[in-house]
Amino acid sequence: MSAPAKRPPADVARRGAGAARSSAGAAPRRGVESVSYRIAPIDPHAHLFEVTLTIAQPDPQGQRVALPAWIPGSYRIREFARHVVSIDARGADTRALRLRKLDKHTWQAARCDGPLTLVYRVYAWDLSVRAAHLDATHGFFNGTSVFLRVLGQEHQPCEVWIEPPAGDACAGWRVATTLPGAGARRHGFGRYRAADYDELVDHPVEMGRFTLAGFEAGGVRHEVAITGRHDADTARLCRDLARVCAQQVRLFEPHTRRAPVERYLFLVMAVGDGYGGLEHRSSTALICARNDLPWRGQRETSDGYRSFLGLASHEYFHTWNVKRIKPAVFAHYDLQQENYTRLLWIFEGFTSYYDDLMLVRSGVIDHDAYLGLLAKTISGVMRGPGRRVQSVAESSFDAWIKYYRQDENSPNAIASYYAKGSLVALALDLTIRIRTGGKRSLDDAMRLMWRRYGRDFFARREGLAEDEFPRLLEEATGLRLDAQIRSWAYGTAELSLVPLLRAVGVEPGFGPGDQGPASLGAKLATREGQLTITTAYTGQAAQRAGLSAGDTLVAVDGLRIDERALKALLARRKPGDRLRVHAFRRDELFDCEIELDAPPATDAKLKLAPRPGARAARLLAGWLGGSRPARASRAP
Ligand code: ZN
């Protein structure tokens, strides 16, 4: 997930759209691989990459090439081919070849003996972790946005020449990627290679003048490359990330304590406002608000920094869970269309559970802070009536058309396989810990999946079958939890977290939050100066009165209304009171009477029990780690 954000305007000197120079001073030579790409930031001001694809042995019947419709990890059809602005084909004698478009993603070249060369330009102006972006300050791309797939030759090794931009304005640019170098120096332009197309598009590339820092964890080098203006304390960032990464490596490999990669790269894009990340096999692309990064001299852990660490932890956890342990249907992606699984509640939900859990177990945040984050997740899930309508298994399956394409009715219709999935993980984890006296946990299931599917994934390409998880959980823990999984993940039953949390020494409480004593049963926001309903919750006061998302409220009980006035008014009313509301739907004025609801008690508060029993204290220490003293020792 990633929020859109704006970059500061480019202020670098102008250059023409001239041809790119050869890479890193070395003369480019014909690739030894049969599929060879050359990518150049040909015109940063026009946001254009130029790619030259050479296919040594094209299909004699007419080679077909296609751009993916989606990028793994982000389950939405994006049709990256819509950003190809021009494309030409040449045969062996550099004569122009006819190129026919077959469908929205696919081209076919006229028959030729080879080599076949395609030269195309891709518009790159999407500042997200999912696509490509280029201006005079930096370039970023995912292979799915820029590298045409050579149909029938996806399993061939390929080489990529990454070219620097021409002109002095871009002097000093470097490259950050985990694509294996094949002549290019570390952080240099030049020749890289990939074992196949799947690997080629699984190493995003950043180029520009980024800040580079690094640390060791799990026996391997980790790097952080930060692009965008920032004043981050990179030493603190590396210290904290090293602890989180080491914690995750220990979870999966308690004996060897070895990371599953040769090296790892956090690509961080710091912007004014933004949040998102996308996982890859040995790197991740993150986008964050620059103020979320810790600054030099900052001592405390701000909410923003905690959320950044949670994001980094989430994407790093995917190195195991979804990049190597996968649903069987993801073992070989079909990049041209939706790939359906009911298991994203495991691959995204469990990852969302472990992301913050790894922060507390590594000691980067304390128990109280962790419980605060957990309470926020519980509150968020409880506020959405959609959890009673859709299971997280259904939500996983329909991610393509629902979770990833949300609208005003989504809170009423969708259960988040991220947030609710993480609570399913919590409920399973605590159940296992409680029933086995702390001898087993969800960690054992993660390790079993890792040993069975993850460790050798790239050699065997096998994944978790759609119905396999209950059996696997039993094998890992000795417990049959089929009924719980059926009801929590495949049904819409409430998760009954309260007794589970109490058994591990956490006191949960639920209140109405800061909504005041009475509720409209709607989410409101000020849009273009107008108090607008953004969601009318199913069956609640606003909807019963006939109000809808998009309606703008102008007056209540004869007085002009805005957000502040509404809050003050609701504070003076009680459930059952009636309000006369004047509102616009489009340009039509209407009025209605609302009978106020009691605000639902969805605001969770979690605190450590002041005097937990010995068993609860032991379970808590096993769950959250014993690095921080529990509040019990400080309580009166
Ligand atoms: Zn994720």
Side-chain angles (χ1 to χ4, degrees):
M1 286 185 299
S2 144
K6 283 207 177 85
R7 281 186 60 75
D11 56 359
V12 188
R14 223 182 304 135
R15 65 171 280 265
R21 281 183 293 118
S22 65
S23 49
R29 57 185 173 79
R30 260 289 298 287
V32 293
E33 308 297 357
S34 59
V35 176
S36 168
Y37 300 86
R38 175 180 304 278
I39 180 161
I42 193 90
D43 188 347
H45 296 317
H47 320 301
L48 290 175
F49 282 109
E50 185 175 88
V51 184
T52 305
L53 163 59
T54 306
I55 305 159
Q57 293 171 311
D59 181 345
Q61 299 308 311
Q63 180 65 53
R64 286 181 300 141
V65 294
L67 263 192
W70 62 286
I71 179 167
S74 182
Y75 307 104
R76 179 176 180 160
I77 296 298
R78 297 186 187 277
E79 298 156 332
F80 295 114
R82 70 203 170 98
H83 295 305
V84 174
V85 294
S86 65
I87 180 166
D88 295 299
R90 293 196 300 260
D93 47 6
T94 70
R95 229 169 6 134
L97 273 185
R98 200 165 68 88
L99 196 63
R100 200 157 67 94
K101 192 133 193 218
L102 300 182
D103 62 32
K104 60 187 172 180
H105 317 290
T106 315
W107 292 260
Q108 184 168 29
R111 294 175 183 199
C112 78
D113 295 334
L116 166 68
T117 301
L118 296 161
V119 181
Y120 56 99
R121 290 187 172 191
V122 180
Y123 179 66
W125 195 235
D126 177 347
L127 190 60
S128 78
V129 295
R130 303 175 299 253
H133 190 260
L134 173 66
D135 66 12
T137 68
H138 90 126
F140 169 83
F141 63 81
N142 283 290
T144 37
S145 281
V146 295
F147 296 134
L148 283 167
R149 193 156 62 93
V150 181
L151 302 192
Q153 300 196 31
E154 295 93 333
H155 301 297
Q156 298 282 348
C158 47
E159 64 165 17
V160 188
W161 288 88
I162 303 177
E163 306 272 356
D168 297 338
C170 302
W173 278 31
R174 292 188 288 178
V175 173
T177 181
T178 46
L179 208 52
R185 286 194 311 270
R186 181 69 57 89
H187 308 131
F189 289 89
R191 183 170 178 257
Y192 292 80
R193 72 183 298 278
D196 50 29
Y197 186 80
D198 183 53
E199 178 177 11
L200 175 69
V201 298
D202 206 6
H203 297 280
V205 174
E206 171 70 29
M207 55 178 80
R209 285 184 218 97
F210 42 79
T211 306
L212 203 57
F215 58 89
E216 300 286 321
V220 305
R221 179 81 180 154
H222 290 60
E223 284 185 335
V224 185
I226 309 175
T227 304
R229 298 176 192 184
H230 70 90
D231 60 354
D233 178 351
T234 51
R236 179 176 178 193
L237 195 56
C238 286
R239 228 169 25 240
D240 290 341
L241 285 176
R243 290 165 76 175
V244 176
C245 294
Q247 188 69 36
Q248 296 194 16
V249 171
R250 272 203 299 279
L251 174 89
F252 284 100
E253 293 285 6
H255 303 299
T256 66
R257 300 193 168 192
R258 181 104 200 147
V261 291
E262 282 172 28
R263 63 195 183 98
Y264 192 87
L265 173 64
F266 291 93
L267 287 173
V268 182
M269 163 68 58
V271 296
D273 187 23
Y275 178 88
L278 192 59
E279 67 276 9
H280 298 280
R281 65 181 64 184
S282 55
S283 62
T284 178
L286 308 175
I287 191 161
C288 71
R290 61 175 61 85
N291 290 337
D292 285 352
L293 298 172
W295 63 89
R296 289 172 210 102
Q298 182 191 20
R299 284 286 185 79
E300 75 281 10
T301 300
S302 67
D303 288 352
Y305 183 41
R306 201 176 293 131
S307 131
F308 173 81
L309 288 172
L311 175 67
S313 176
H314 180 97
E315 305 306 342
Y316 193 72
F317 198 85
H318 274 315
T319 311
W320 292 268
N321 196 35
V322 96
K323 293 313 302 188
R324 287 167 177 80
I325 309 166
K326 287 172 186 266
V329 295
F330 283 2
H332 299 277
Y333 293 118
D334 180 343
L335 291 170
Q336 300 315 119
Q337 60 186 4
E338 294 87 346
N339 289 207
Y340 296 104
T341 174
R342 287 182 173 78
L343 299 179
L344 293 182
W345 59 277
I346 294 178
F347 292 93
E348 287 299 348
F350 285 21
T351 301
S352 298
Y353 172 58
Y354 277 102
D355 58 23
D356 288 339
L357 191 58
M358 293 293 104
L359 300 189
V360 65
R361 279 201 201 153
S362 64
V364 167
I365 64 171
D366 64 20
H367 288 180
D368 289 334
Y370 175 71
L371 293 181
L373 294 172
L374 188 56
K376 231 168 118 179
T377 304
I378 294 172
S379 305
V381 169
M382 291 198 46
R383 262 179 228 133
R387 77 186 190 285
R388 297 204 192 93
V389 176
Q390 189 189 44
S391 71
V392 288
E394 290 165 338
S395 179
S396 301
F397 194 85
D398 273 340
W400 305 84
I401 55 165
K402 292 198 172 178
Y403 188 84
Y404 265 91
R405 292 171 65 177
Q406 298 201 19
D407 59 27
E408 70 288 343
N409 195 47
S410 295
N412 292 325
I414 292 182
S416 163
Y417 53 78
Y418 283 91
K420 191 184 165 194
S422 79
L423 297 186
V424 173
L426 169 72
L428 288 172
D429 195 14
L430 295 186
T431 302
I432 298 164
R433 288 173 186 277
I434 293 162
R435 290 217 197 153
T436 62
K439 288 196 183 67
R440 291 279 177 266
S441 71
L442 192 60
D443 301 358
D444 292 293
M446 298 310 301
R447 279 190 284 268
L448 179 57
M449 287 196 284
W450 172 241
R451 288 196 302 273
R452 184 151 302 160
Y453 297 115
R455 249 188 218 149
D456 299 323
F457 174 77
F458 291 112
R460 294 172 47 210
R461 298 226 169 234
E462 287 172 18
L464 188 72
E466 289 288 298
D467 57 356
E468 187 181 347
F469 185 70
R471 278 202 317 274
L472 187 135
L473 194 65
E474 183 181 358
E475 185 182 339
T477 65
L479 298 178
R480 281 203 72 142
L481 297 174
D482 302 36
Q484 287 85 343
I485 293 169
R486 235 185 349 264
S487 116
W488 296 341
Y490 293 84
T492 55
E494 298 286 5
L495 295 176
S496 60
L497 293 173
V498 171
L500 297 173
L501 288 164
R502 283 205 178 118
V504 299
V506 174
E507 264 317 311
F510 293 91
D514 60 354
Q515 297 170 62
S519 163
L520 283 179
K523 218 156 111 185
L524 293 111
T526 303
R527 287 188 178 164
E528 294 173 358
Q530 312 210 58
L531 184 59
T532 307
I533 295 183
T534 55
T535 294
Y537 292 114
T538 302
Q540 296 186 25
Q543 196 188 70
R544 289 199 312 271
L547 288 163
S548 280
D551 291 348
T552 54
L553 310 191
V554 287
V556 175
D557 286 347
L559 293 171
R560 188 162 51 212
I561 198 79
D562 59 17
E563 261 183 275
R564 241 178 61 191
L566 181 66
K567 201 170 173 189
L569 183 72
L570 291 177
R572 293 148 193 251
R573 295 291 186 271
K574 53 184 194 309
D577 285 357
R578 287 165 182 275
L579 304 179
R580 169 76 31 200
V581 174
H582 281 82
F584 275 106
R585 177 164 304 169
R586 300 180 301 277
D587 59 348
E588 296 177 9
L589 183 67
F590 68 101
D591 68 312
C592 59
E593 194 177 69
I594 292 193
E595 183 184 338
L596 292 174
D597 286 334
T602 54
D603 214 56
K605 296 253 185 309
L606 302 179
K607 57 181 200 305
L608 295 167
R611 292 177 212 289
R615 181 185 156 87
R618 211 176 50 243
L619 290 174
L620 184 85
W623 174 40
L624 299 186
S627 59
R628 292 289 168 116
R631 168 87 63 70
S633 60
R634 284 182 271 140

